[in-house]
Amino acid sequence: MVDVILGLQWGDEGKGKIADYLTPKYNVVARFQGGPNAGHSLDFEGKKFVLNTIPSGIFRKETINLIGNGVVIDPVRLREEIERIVNECPDYKDRLLISQKAHLILPTHRILDAASEAAKGDAKIGSTLRGIGPTYKDKIGRSGLRVGDILESDFPEKYRAAVQEHLNIIQFLGFTDFNLADEETKFFSAIEFLKGHQLINSEYFIHDCINKGQKILAEGAQGSLLDVEFGTYPFVTSSNTLAGGVCTGLGVAPKHVGKVYGIFKAYSTRVGSGPFPTELNDETGEYLRIKGHEFGATTGRKRRTGWIDLVALKYTCMLNGVDELIMMKSDVLNGMDQIAACTAYSIHGERSEQVPSNLCNSSIEPILEWFPGWGEDLSHTQGFEAMDERFRNYVHFVENYLGTKIRVISLGPERESTLVKD
Ligand code: IMP
């Protein structure tokens, strides 16, 4: 069975911590979409790691980690990432599998990303500039290069042909701020490095695991509101971040998908451009940013902050078929006098509990419900039922609104600050 863990907001919900927490229950952790635009932070034993492409099970010695076909891989960044973890995981090569069908991010994909964002001016997406969009564009356009291609003798020719096409576009956009020769030296060295890893037909591997009764955790990246179909288009990433993406991103049939764990923060954040109905451009927003350390794990960019948006969360619970909710960073709200939750939108003056199909063009005002804060001390050592009543009321309100139980509450970055509610 393949269970799924994914973010229900705009990413950065804390999937790394929870995937790491859940991993002991699973034989395999698999990434099914996205690429090095992700930054999954893991804190344990006083150490902190940020993973971009490698699944979060890599630090557990019994866990196999798969980078699935739906992921896009930058060999240069993957190599850097491996170099950051190799001391902690000297056996990593035995436990890291890479799909031969995963697409490669070429140096010119990154340049194209920068060129295209520069050409958009104020309308830019706020991309992480990791080459994600251009790589998926080539995949869908049937001109991408895949991991398996590096094992073929005609790889250099295929590479040159792809690069020439990219350079034509880059020239057309008038973008000149790059040094391709340097990037290519690093790229080809990283390609040789990649060849020393287990490059496999991962769909067969996954089915083998399923047939043996092993448990697989599919680890989503980014968040549901950044999904290319249902997110805040065009301010989205270029992959299917929803549970549906697991089937195509790993090659498993829907009947093998089991439980879906949906992760959300007790407030909202977003990096990059795009609509954000509950955004707080004020002191409270700044307070959440500082207290919640809301700066990008991958790019260091300031995250935008705001109140929890239950309308959007209910939408992503529906799209993903979430079975269990996991609430992160509730401790960031400790000490606030009042806490708000958006329970409906006012769209051109009309109340709605649905996310409109074009969130970008509508004039949306959040309708907020207010809750009393629960003070500074949110000790959880005696279990959920012994926690501050005001906090429990807030949790129950969210559960009732979303129609789904919150099973785990995270109250800090460490593995120990995790409360299993029921
Ligand atoms: P791209 O995926 O790098 O092209 O970025 C597209 C949009 O998704 C931008 O607004 C990014 O800030 C956002 N984004 C991409 N990856 C992540 C992530 O892992 N966490 C949060 N936002 C992300």
Side-chain angles (χ1 to χ4, degrees):
M1 204 42 106
V2 184
D3 291 346
V4 188
I5 179 164
L6 42 75
L8 297 174
Q9 295 159 315
W10 283 287
D12 309 314
E13 295 91 354
K15 294 176 288 291
K17 174 186 165 175
I18 295 299
D20 171 65
Y21 174 79
L22 291 173
T23 298
K25 291 206 236 163
Y26 293 90
N27 306 96
V28 179
V29 181
R31 279 277 306 269
F32 60 93
Q33 50 71 229
N37 46 349
H40 293 172
S41 306
L42 284 87
D43 282 61
F44 57 91
E45 294 159 13
K47 292 172 246 177
K48 185 179 161 85
F49 293 94
V50 178
L51 296 173
N52 307 114
T53 313
I54 299 173
S56 297
I58 200 73
F59 299 110
R60 306 268 189 186
K61 304 292 173 220
E62 276 80 47
T63 312
I64 301 291
N65 293 268
L66 169 67
I67 303 177
N69 56 281
V71 175
V72 290
I73 297 177
D74 183 334
V76 178
R77 290 209 166 258
L78 181 59
R79 180 188 197 161
E80 287 167 2
E81 199 179 331
I82 288 172
E83 283 166 358
R84 289 199 303 269
I85 61 146
V86 70
N87 282 342
E88 188 68 27
C89 312
D91 68 333
Y92 86 92
K93 265 194 193 174
D94 300 336
R95 298 187 295 106
L96 181 66
L97 310 177
I98 302 172
S99 168
Q100 290 203 11
K101 292 193 172 68
H103 277 244
L104 289 172
I105 302 177
L106 311 184
T108 40
H109 282 132
R110 270 185 274 122
I111 299 167
L112 272 172
D113 221 356
S116 136
E117 283 285 77
K120 285 194 175 106
D122 285 347
K124 71 176 182 182
I125 306 293
S127 160
T128 60
L129 302 181
R130 299 291 194 255
I132 307 296
T135 306
Y136 278 116
K137 223 177 192 173
D138 276 356
K139 173 176 175 170
I140 301 303
R142 300 170 293 188
S143 54
L145 292 184
R146 306 191 294 181
V147 167
D149 290 327
I150 70 174
L151 306 172
E152 305 290 332
S153 57
D154 63 351
F155 179 67
E157 289 83 63
K158 279 188 175 162
Y159 172 83
R160 280 285 144 227
V163 165
Q164 195 48 56
E165 271 191 38
H166 296 162
L167 288 175
N168 292 344
I169 305 170
I170 293 163
Q171 195 180 17
F172 175 77
L173 292 172
F175 191 78
T176 53
D177 187 12
F178 62 91
N179 181 339
L180 185 56
D182 281 2
E183 297 295 320
E184 285 190 329
T185 308
K186 282 191 251 166
F187 177 77
F188 279 106
S189 159
I191 288 290
E192 289 311 309
F193 175 80
L194 194 56
K195 284 182 186 167
H197 291 76
Q198 299 194 57
L199 312 180
I200 63 159
N201 278 333
S202 56
E203 58 277 31
Y204 282 108
F205 168 77
I206 283 276
H207 278 273
D208 221 28
C209 294
I210 293 172
N211 290 338
K212 284 185 198 146
Q214 294 193 336
K215 292 197 75 187
I216 299 147
L217 182 66
E219 179 186 18
Q222 290 79 54
S224 301
L225 294 169
L226 289 172
D227 180 80
V228 69
E229 299 283 340
F230 296 100
T232 48
Y233 194 88
F235 299 98
V236 292
T237 191
S238 297
S239 63
N240 292 113
T241 59
L242 298 174
V246 171
C247 296
T248 50
L250 290 176
V252 295
K255 68 179 176 186
H256 295 307
V257 176
K259 204 170 245 185
V260 179
Y261 298 99
I263 303 204
F264 66 101
K265 277 195 263 211
Y267 51 97
S268 306
T269 63
R270 154 158 226 174
V271 213
S273 329
F276 184 175
T278 60
E279 184 166 15
L280 291 166
N281 288 309
D282 59 10
E283 278 173 14
T284 310
E286 187 61 15
Y287 173 87
L288 290 174
R289 178 159 39 248
I290 302 294
K291 190 149 179 219
H293 308 289
E294 297 298 353
F295 299 89
T298 305
T299 57
R301 288 183 294 175
K302 265 187 181 185
R303 294 183 188 142
R304 298 155 66 194
T305 50
W307 295 121
I308 195 168
D309 184 341
L310 294 177
V311 180
L313 268 178
K314 194 161 187 170
Y315 180 61
T316 54
C317 281
M318 172 184 87
L319 292 169
N320 288 303
V322 171
D323 294 295
E324 297 196 1
L325 288 164
I326 298 171
M327 183 161 86
M328 309 298 290
K329 289 186 135 176
S330 350
D331 54 305
V332 173
L333 303 180
N334 290 3
M336 293 185 104
D337 291 340
Q338 289 195 95
I339 290 151
C342 169
T343 52
Y345 297 144
S346 165
I347 307 176
H348 301 294
E350 296 232 349
R351 185 187 160 90
S352 169
E353 290 187 17
Q354 289 194 0
V355 176
S357 65
N358 189 355
L359 197 60
C360 298
N361 277 353
S362 312
S363 84
I364 292 187
E365 289 294 325
I367 298 176
L368 300 177
E369 191 139 335
W370 290 90
F371 300 84
W374 45 78
E376 278 296 351
D377 181 23
L378 196 56
S379 165
H380 67 285
T381 44
Q382 307 296 314
F384 179 72
E385 290 310 324
M387 289 177 84
D388 191 296
E389 191 186 3
R390 292 162 296 188
F391 176 69
R392 283 187 287 126
N393 287 344
Y394 178 76
V395 169
H396 288 141
F397 181 86
V398 172
E399 286 182 324
N400 287 339
Y401 188 100
L402 300 178
T404 311
K405 285 274 176 223
I406 298 178
R407 290 282 180 223
V408 177
I409 299 176
S410 169
L411 299 148
E414 315 77 25
R415 279 179 183 163
E416 309 73 56
S417 308
T418 314
L419 167 78
V420 179
K421 186 167 137 282
D422 298 309

